Amino acid sequence: MIIAIDGPGAAGKGTLARRLAAALDLAFLDTGLLYRAVAAKVLADGHDPAVPAVAEAAARSVTFADLNRPDLRREGVGQGASQVAAIPGVRAALLDLQRRFAGQPPDGKRGAVLDGRDIGTVVCPGADVKLFVTASLDSRAARRQKELRGRGEASIYARVKQEMQERDARDSARATAPLKPAPDAVVLDTSEMDADSAFRAAMDIISARTAAPPA
Ligand code: CDP
């Protein structure tokens, strides 16, 4: 069973995807971490994440072990991730890793939950259930600020909101695998939902989509 969860930043995808994977005993992959790992490698070498040759070489060298780097959640790395993510050669280099995870989930799990921007549209177009998790710009900016502050990173709301808008624009406008709901995705707007209600709503959608049709 493959569950694809896509949507913009700080919409609640990560928390939801992790909870669904635990409840359904599936493997979990946060694909944003792969793009973050590419950006972190490029930045650590003092290069510009927007330069294709450099970003592509970093993408080819990424392995699942890189997902444990401690610097991946920094906001600067997030911006760099959305820059490297616009480069087709970077996306191509990461596609295989993601499909292998979905096809042969680790730890003998019977399936996987993947979260990202293009899981339902490109990585796993045949997923059993596709959710497009979104929320208003203001609620996402407020959540991102809370997350940054929780990690002790100083942040100004107006700046967090502006960076989020820039990242949304870049992710939605790129030519390769832009952020958009798959035609068969169910849209879940979490602006007015806490983590528990989003989880319940998602479980209801999954049960309805995976229930055997009446004989
Ligand atoms: O934490 P947040 O949702 O803001 O970002 P993330 O999921 O860690 O992803 C960081 C960046 O990677 C995004 O802004 C996208 O540009 C890119 N990304 C992508 O293009 N495709 C994916 N499947 C996942 C992430």
Side-chain angles (χ1 to χ4, degrees):
M1 165 139 95
I2 302 294
I3 299 181
I5 304 193
D6 291 303
K13 296 187 304 285
T15 308
L16 177 62
R18 200 168 279 113
R19 285 184 66 172
L20 291 174
L24 300 166
D25 195 27
L26 301 173
F28 167 59
L29 180 62
D30 173 351
T31 64
L33 288 180
L34 292 168
Y35 293 89
R36 285 174 179 265
V38 175
K41 277 180 184 245
V42 173
L43 292 168
D45 289 342
H47 295 302
D48 178 353
V51 177
V54 173
E56 286 167 14
R60 283 193 294 270
S61 76
V62 159
T63 66
F64 287 116
D66 290 311
L67 305 191
N68 301 318
R69 286 177 74 114
D71 54 353
L72 298 186
R73 287 283 164 208
R74 295 230 178 99
E75 195 48 25
V77 173
Q79 286 290 345
S82 96
Q83 288 177 290
V84 302
I87 300 167
V90 169
R91 305 201 70 85
L94 298 180
L95 190 56
D96 215 42
L97 274 178
Q98 298 172 79
R99 288 202 173 139
R100 250 188 291 137
F101 186 95
Q104 288 153 7
D107 305 324
K109 302 280 186 193
R110 67 191 168 103
V113 180
L114 285 85
D115 95 62
R117 301 290 190 285
D118 63 338
I119 309 303
T121 51
V122 176
V123 179
C124 301
D128 301 272
V129 184
K130 299 179 185 178
L131 295 174
F132 191 84
V133 180
T134 186
S136 69
L137 178 64
D138 272 308
S139 34
R140 293 189 292 117
R143 285 177 197 166
R144 178 52 46 89
Q145 188 179 30
K146 202 170 145 204
E147 188 187 321
L148 290 170
R149 290 216 168 140
R151 288 204 306 268
E153 283 189 51
S155 60
I156 299 161
Y157 181 76
R159 176 110 191 265
V160 172
K161 184 169 164 179
Q162 193 199 332
E163 288 191 350
M164 183 149 274
Q165 237 167 339
E166 283 170 19
R167 196 125 75 85
D168 283 355
R170 204 183 293 128
D171 288 350
S172 306
R174 69 181 176 224
T176 312
L179 170 66
K180 63 164 191 236
D184 52 347
V186 180
V187 177
L188 187 62
D189 187 322
T190 66
S191 307
E192 307 293 329
M193 288 182 188
D194 61 13
D196 285 343
S197 14
F199 173 72
R200 279 194 299 272
M203 284 296 273
D204 287 347
I205 294 165
I206 293 167
S207 308
R209 290 256 159 160
T210 54

PDB file of all heavy atoms in Angstrom, residues 101-127:
ATOM      1  N   PHE A 101      12.415   3.127  -2.532  1.00  0.00           N
ATOM      2  CA  PHE A 101      11.869   3.116  -1.171  1.00  0.00           C
ATOM      3  C   PHE A 101      10.404   2.669  -1.213  1.00  0.00           C
ATOM      4  O   PHE A 101       9.965   1.842  -0.414  1.00  0.00           O
ATOM      5  CB  PHE A 101      11.978   4.515  -0.548  1.00  0.00           C
ATOM      6  CG  PHE A 101      11.580   4.566   0.896  1.00  0.00           C
ATOM      7  CD1 PHE A 101      12.536   4.473   1.911  1.00  0.00           C
ATOM      8  CD2 PHE A 101      10.242   4.705   1.266  1.00  0.00           C
ATOM      9  CE1 PHE A 101      12.169   4.507   3.246  1.00  0.00           C
ATOM     10  CE2 PHE A 101       9.867   4.741   2.600  1.00  0.00           C
ATOM     11  CZ  PHE A 101      10.837   4.649   3.593  1.00  0.00           C
ATOM     12  N   ALA A 102       9.650   3.223  -2.172  1.00  0.00           N
ATOM     13  CA  ALA A 102       8.221   2.890  -2.267  1.00  0.00           C
ATOM     14  C   ALA A 102       8.023   1.437  -2.693  1.00  0.00           C
ATOM     15  O   ALA A 102       7.149   0.739  -2.187  1.00  0.00           O
ATOM     16  CB  ALA A 102       7.534   3.840  -3.250  1.00  0.00           C
ATOM     17  N   GLY A 103       8.865   0.970  -3.619  1.00  0.00           N
ATOM     18  CA  GLY A 103       8.705  -0.377  -4.166  1.00  0.00           C
ATOM     19  C   GLY A 103       9.168  -1.460  -3.208  1.00  0.00           C
ATOM     20  O   GLY A 103       8.578  -2.538  -3.149  1.00  0.00           O
ATOM     21  N   GLN A 104      10.239  -1.162  -2.476  1.00  0.00           N
ATOM     22  CA  GLN A 104      10.766  -2.131  -1.499  1.00  0.00           C
ATOM     23  C   GLN A 104      10.963  -1.417  -0.183  1.00  0.00           C
ATOM     24  O   GLN A 104      12.090  -1.071   0.190  1.00  0.00           O
ATOM     25  CB  GLN A 104      12.118  -2.680  -1.967  1.00  0.00           C
ATOM     26  CG  GLN A 104      12.001  -3.624  -3.124  1.00  0.00           C
ATOM     27  CD  GLN A 104      13.274  -3.634  -3.972  1.00  0.00           C
ATOM     28  OE1 GLN A 104      14.288  -3.033  -3.617  1.00  0.00           O
ATOM     29  NE2 GLN A 104      13.212  -4.301  -5.093  1.00  0.00           N
ATOM     30  N   PRO A 105       9.880  -1.180   0.562  1.00  0.00           N
ATOM     31  CA  PRO A 105      10.005  -0.421   1.810  1.00  0.00           C
ATOM     32  C   PRO A 105      10.932  -1.140   2.796  1.00  0.00           C
ATOM     33  O   PRO A 105      10.950  -2.380   2.825  1.00  0.00           O
ATOM     34  CB  PRO A 105       8.576  -0.372   2.355  1.00  0.00           C
ATOM     35  CG  PRO A 105       7.689  -0.765   1.223  1.00  0.00           C
ATOM     36  CD  PRO A 105       8.502  -1.614   0.302  1.00  0.00           C
ATOM     37  N   PRO A 106      11.695  -0.387   3.584  1.00  0.00           N
ATOM     38  CA  PRO A 106      12.628  -1.020   4.530  1.00  0.00           C
ATOM     39  C   PRO A 106      11.891  -1.758   5.654  1.00  0.00           C
ATOM     40  O   PRO A 106      10.683  -1.587   5.824  1.00  0.00           O
ATOM     41  CB  PRO A 106      13.409   0.172   5.089  1.00  0.00           C
ATOM     42  CG  PRO A 106      12.541   1.358   4.840  1.00  0.00           C
ATOM     43  CD  PRO A 106      11.738   1.067   3.626  1.00  0.00           C
ATOM     44  N   ASP A 107      12.629  -2.561   6.405  1.00  0.00           N
ATOM     45  CA  ASP A 107      12.122  -3.272   7.581  1.00  0.00           C
ATOM     46  C   ASP A 107      10.959  -4.206   7.254  1.00  0.00           C
ATOM     47  O   ASP A 107      10.111  -4.467   8.118  1.00  0.00           O
ATOM     48  CB  ASP A 107      11.680  -2.286   8.684  1.00  0.00           C
ATOM     49  CG  ASP A 107      12.799  -1.320   9.047  1.00  0.00           C
ATOM     50  OD1 ASP A 107      13.962  -1.751   9.031  1.00  0.00           O
ATOM     51  OD2 ASP A 107      12.508  -0.138   9.318  1.00  0.00           O
ATOM     52  N   GLY A 108      10.889  -4.667   6.030  1.00  0.00           N
ATOM     53  CA  GLY A 108       9.849  -5.613   5.654  1.00  0.00           C
ATOM     54  C   GLY A 108       8.432  -5.073   5.734  1.00  0.00           C
ATOM     55  O   GLY A 108       7.464  -5.845   5.792  1.00  0.00           O
ATOM     56  N   LYS A 109       8.290  -3.744   5.722  1.00  0.00           N
ATOM     57  CA  LYS A 109       6.935  -3.161   5.782  1.00  0.00           C
ATOM     58  C   LYS A 109       6.172  -3.480   4.496  1.00  0.00           C
ATOM     59  O   LYS A 109       6.760  -3.639   3.432  1.00  0.00           O
ATOM     60  CB  LYS A 109       7.007  -1.642   5.961  1.00  0.00           C
ATOM     61  CG  LYS A 109       7.752  -1.191   7.204  1.00  0.00           C
ATOM     62  CD  LYS A 109       6.898  -1.284   8.443  1.00  0.00           C
ATOM     63  CE  LYS A 109       7.648  -0.686   9.623  1.00  0.00           C
ATOM     64  NZ  LYS A 109       7.035  -1.015  10.896  1.00  0.00           N
ATOM     65  N   ARG A 110       4.820  -3.510   4.611  1.00  0.00           N
ATOM     66  CA  ARG A 110       4.027  -3.904   3.440  1.00  0.00           C
ATOM     67  C   ARG A 110       3.711  -2.713   2.538  1.00  0.00           C
ATOM     68  O   ARG A 110       2.990  -2.836   1.547  1.00  0.00           O
ATOM     69  CB  ARG A 110       2.721  -4.561   3.898  1.00  0.00           C
ATOM     70  CG  ARG A 110       1.826  -3.555   4.602  1.00  0.00           C
ATOM     71  CD  ARG A 110       0.643  -4.161   5.317  1.00  0.00           C
ATOM     72  NE  ARG A 110       0.062  -3.127   6.153  1.00  0.00           N
ATOM     73  CZ  ARG A 110      -1.045  -2.457   5.843  1.00  0.00           C
ATOM     74  NH1 ARG A 110      -1.697  -2.728   4.741  1.00  0.00           N
ATOM     75  NH2 ARG A 110      -1.492  -1.517   6.645  1.00  0.00           N
ATOM     76  N   GLY A 111       4.222  -1.543   2.877  1.00  0.00           N
ATOM     77  CA  GLY A 111       3.952  -0.370   2.055  1.00  0.00           C
ATOM     78  C   GLY A 111       4.600   0.848   2.676  1.00  0.00           C
ATOM     79  O   GLY A 111       5.361   0.736   3.645  1.00  0.00           O
ATOM     80  N   ALA A 112       4.308   2.015   2.099  1.00  0.00           N
ATOM     81  CA  ALA A 112       4.995   3.219   2.565  1.00  0.00           C
ATOM     82  C   ALA A 112       4.133   4.465   2.420  1.00  0.00           C
ATOM     83  O   ALA A 112       3.247   4.527   1.560  1.00  0.00           O
ATOM     84  CB  ALA A 112       6.287   3.406   1.779  1.00  0.00           C
ATOM     85  N   VAL A 113       4.416   5.423   3.284  1.00  0.00           N
ATOM     86  CA  VAL A 113       3.841   6.764   3.170  1.00  0.00           C
ATOM     87  C   VAL A 113       4.988   7.663   2.731  1.00  0.00           C
ATOM     88  O   VAL A 113       6.055   7.651   3.357  1.00  0.00           O
ATOM     89  CB  VAL A 113       3.311   7.267   4.533  1.00  0.00           C
ATOM     90  CG1 VAL A 113       2.708   8.662   4.394  1.00  0.00           C
ATOM     91  CG2 VAL A 113       2.296   6.291   5.124  1.00  0.00           C
ATOM     92  N   LEU A 114       4.811   8.401   1.625  1.00  0.00           N
ATOM     93  CA  LEU A 114       5.841   9.350   1.174  1.00  0.00           C
ATOM     94  C   LEU A 114       5.242  10.736   1.191  1.00  0.00           C
ATOM     95  O   LEU A 114       4.102  10.920   0.734  1.00  0.00           O
ATOM     96  CB  LEU A 114       6.315   9.025  -0.240  1.00  0.00           C
ATOM     97  CG  LEU A 114       7.243   7.811  -0.391  1.00  0.00           C
ATOM     98  CD1 LEU A 114       6.430   6.534  -0.502  1.00  0.00           C
ATOM     99  CD2 LEU A 114       8.120   7.960  -1.629  1.00  0.00           C
ATOM    100  N   ASP A 115       5.970  11.707   1.725  1.00  0.00           N
ATOM    101  CA  ASP A 115       5.451  13.072   1.646  1.00  0.00           C
ATOM    102  C   ASP A 115       6.403  13.971   0.884  1.00  0.00           C
ATOM    103  O   ASP A 115       7.610  13.761   0.903  1.00  0.00           O
ATOM    104  CB  ASP A 115       5.042  13.597   3.032  1.00  0.00           C
ATOM    105  CG  ASP A 115       6.078  14.414   3.758  1.00  0.00           C
ATOM    106  OD1 ASP A 115       6.460  15.472   3.231  1.00  0.00           O
ATOM    107  OD2 ASP A 115       6.465  14.011   4.866  1.00  0.00           O
ATOM    108  N   GLY A 116       5.813  14.905   0.125  1.00  0.00           N
ATOM    109  CA  GLY A 116       6.629  15.790  -0.704  1.00  0.00           C
ATOM    110  C   GLY A 116       5.796  16.767  -1.498  1.00  0.00           C
ATOM    111  O   GLY A 116       4.793  17.299  -1.000  1.00  0.00           O
ATOM    112  N   ARG A 117       6.227  17.008  -2.739  1.00  0.00           N
ATOM    113  CA  ARG A 117       5.519  17.956  -3.608  1.00  0.00           C
ATOM    114  C   ARG A 117       4.970  17.269  -4.852  1.00  0.00           C
ATOM    115  O   ARG A 117       4.028  17.753  -5.468  1.00  0.00           O
ATOM    116  CB  ARG A 117       6.477  19.071  -4.071  1.00  0.00           C
ATOM    117  CG  ARG A 117       7.110  19.900  -2.956  1.00  0.00           C
ATOM    118  CD  ARG A 117       6.084  20.778  -2.293  1.00  0.00           C
ATOM    119  NE  ARG A 117       6.667  21.755  -1.381  1.00  0.00           N
ATOM    120  CZ  ARG A 117       7.158  21.524  -0.168  1.00  0.00           C
ATOM    121  NH1 ARG A 117       7.155  20.287   0.293  1.00  0.00           N
ATOM    122  NH2 ARG A 117       7.609  22.499   0.583  1.00  0.00           N
ATOM    123  N   ASP A 118       5.601  16.154  -5.240  1.00  0.00           N
ATOM    124  CA  ASP A 118       5.269  15.512  -6.527  1.00  0.00           C
ATOM    125  C   ASP A 118       5.102  14.003  -6.372  1.00  0.00           C
ATOM    126  O   ASP A 118       5.339  13.253  -7.308  1.00  0.00           O
ATOM    127  CB  ASP A 118       6.382  15.801  -7.547  1.00  0.00           C
ATOM    128  CG  ASP A 118       7.725  15.198  -7.110  1.00  0.00           C
ATOM    129  OD1 ASP A 118       7.899  14.949  -5.900  1.00  0.00           O
ATOM    130  OD2 ASP A 118       8.576  14.961  -7.979  1.00  0.00           O
ATOM    131  N   ILE A 119       4.720  13.553  -5.188  1.00  0.00           N
ATOM    132  CA  ILE A 119       4.615  12.093  -4.981  1.00  0.00           C
ATOM    133  C   ILE A 119       3.443  11.536  -5.786  1.00  0.00           C
ATOM    134  O   ILE A 119       3.587  10.568  -6.525  1.00  0.00           O
ATOM    135  CB  ILE A 119       4.462  11.744  -3.476  1.00  0.00           C
ATOM    136  CG1 ILE A 119       5.548  12.423  -2.639  1.00  0.00           C
ATOM    137  CG2 ILE A 119       4.483  10.225  -3.273  1.00  0.00           C
ATOM    138  CD1 ILE A 119       6.958  12.110  -3.053  1.00  0.00           C
ATOM    139  N   GLY A 120       2.281  12.168  -5.671  1.00  0.00           N
ATOM    140  CA  GLY A 120       1.093  11.674  -6.391  1.00  0.00           C
ATOM    141  C   GLY A 120       1.159  11.925  -7.893  1.00  0.00           C
ATOM    142  O   GLY A 120       0.531  11.217  -8.678  1.00  0.00           O
ATOM    143  N   THR A 121       1.926  12.931  -8.308  1.00  0.00           N
ATOM    144  CA  THR A 121       1.962  13.277  -9.735  1.00  0.00           C
ATOM    145  C   THR A 121       3.099  12.582 -10.488  1.00  0.00           C
ATOM    146  O   THR A 121       2.932  12.208 -11.643  1.00  0.00           O
ATOM    147  CB  THR A 121       2.118  14.809  -9.921  1.00  0.00           C
ATOM    148  OG1 THR A 121       3.226  15.252  -9.121  1.00  0.00           O
ATOM    149  CG2 THR A 121       0.871  15.574  -9.516  1.00  0.00           C
ATOM    150  N   VAL A 122       4.266  12.421  -9.844  1.00  0.00           N
ATOM    151  CA  VAL A 122       5.445  11.922 -10.575  1.00  0.00           C
ATOM    152  C   VAL A 122       6.071  10.659  -9.950  1.00  0.00           C
ATOM    153  O   VAL A 122       6.304   9.674 -10.638  1.00  0.00           O
ATOM    154  CB  VAL A 122       6.541  13.025 -10.654  1.00  0.00           C
ATOM    155  CG1 VAL A 122       7.809  12.487 -11.312  1.00  0.00           C
ATOM    156  CG2 VAL A 122       6.019  14.250 -11.397  1.00  0.00           C
ATOM    157  N   VAL A 123       6.319  10.708  -8.635  1.00  0.00           N
ATOM    158  CA  VAL A 123       7.089   9.610  -8.017  1.00  0.00           C
ATOM    159  C   VAL A 123       6.255   8.329  -7.951  1.00  0.00           C
ATOM    160  O   VAL A 123       6.721   7.263  -8.350  1.00  0.00           O
ATOM    161  CB  VAL A 123       7.599  10.018  -6.610  1.00  0.00           C
ATOM    162  CG1 VAL A 123       8.373   8.873  -5.953  1.00  0.00           C
ATOM    163  CG2 VAL A 123       8.491  11.261  -6.697  1.00  0.00           C
ATOM    164  N   CYS A 124       5.024   8.441  -7.442  1.00  0.00           N
ATOM    165  CA  CYS A 124       4.155   7.264  -7.302  1.00  0.00           C
ATOM    166  C   CYS A 124       2.777   7.567  -7.897  1.00  0.00           C
ATOM    167  O   CYS A 124       1.783   7.634  -7.153  1.00  0.00           O
ATOM    168  CB  CYS A 124       3.983   6.892  -5.829  1.00  0.00           C
ATOM    169  SG  CYS A 124       5.503   6.521  -4.955  1.00  0.00           S
ATOM    170  N   PRO A 125       2.689   7.715  -9.214  1.00  0.00           N
ATOM    171  CA  PRO A 125       1.388   8.061  -9.810  1.00  0.00           C
ATOM    172  C   PRO A 125       0.331   6.977  -9.586  1.00  0.00           C
ATOM    173  O   PRO A 125      -0.868   7.251  -9.668  1.00  0.00           O
ATOM    174  CB  PRO A 125       1.692   8.263 -11.294  1.00  0.00           C
ATOM    175  CG  PRO A 125       3.037   7.678 -11.529  1.00  0.00           C
ATOM    176  CD  PRO A 125       3.768   7.637 -10.221  1.00  0.00           C
ATOM    177  N   GLY A 126       0.764   5.749  -9.259  1.00  0.00           N
ATOM    178  CA  GLY A 126      -0.188   4.672  -9.021  1.00  0.00           C
ATOM    179  C   GLY A 126      -0.523   4.484  -7.547  1.00  0.00           C
ATOM    180  O   GLY A 126      -1.068   3.448  -7.169  1.00  0.00           O
ATOM    181  N   ALA A 127      -0.198   5.471  -6.688  1.00  0.00           N
ATOM    182  CA  ALA A 127      -0.437   5.337  -5.236  1.00  0.00           C
ATOM    183  C   ALA A 127      -1.890   4.971  -4.937  1.00  0.00           C
ATOM    184  O   ALA A 127      -2.799   5.395  -5.660  1.00  0.00           O
ATOM    185  CB  ALA A 127      -0.063   6.640  -4.532  1.00  0.00           C
TER     186      ALA A 127
END
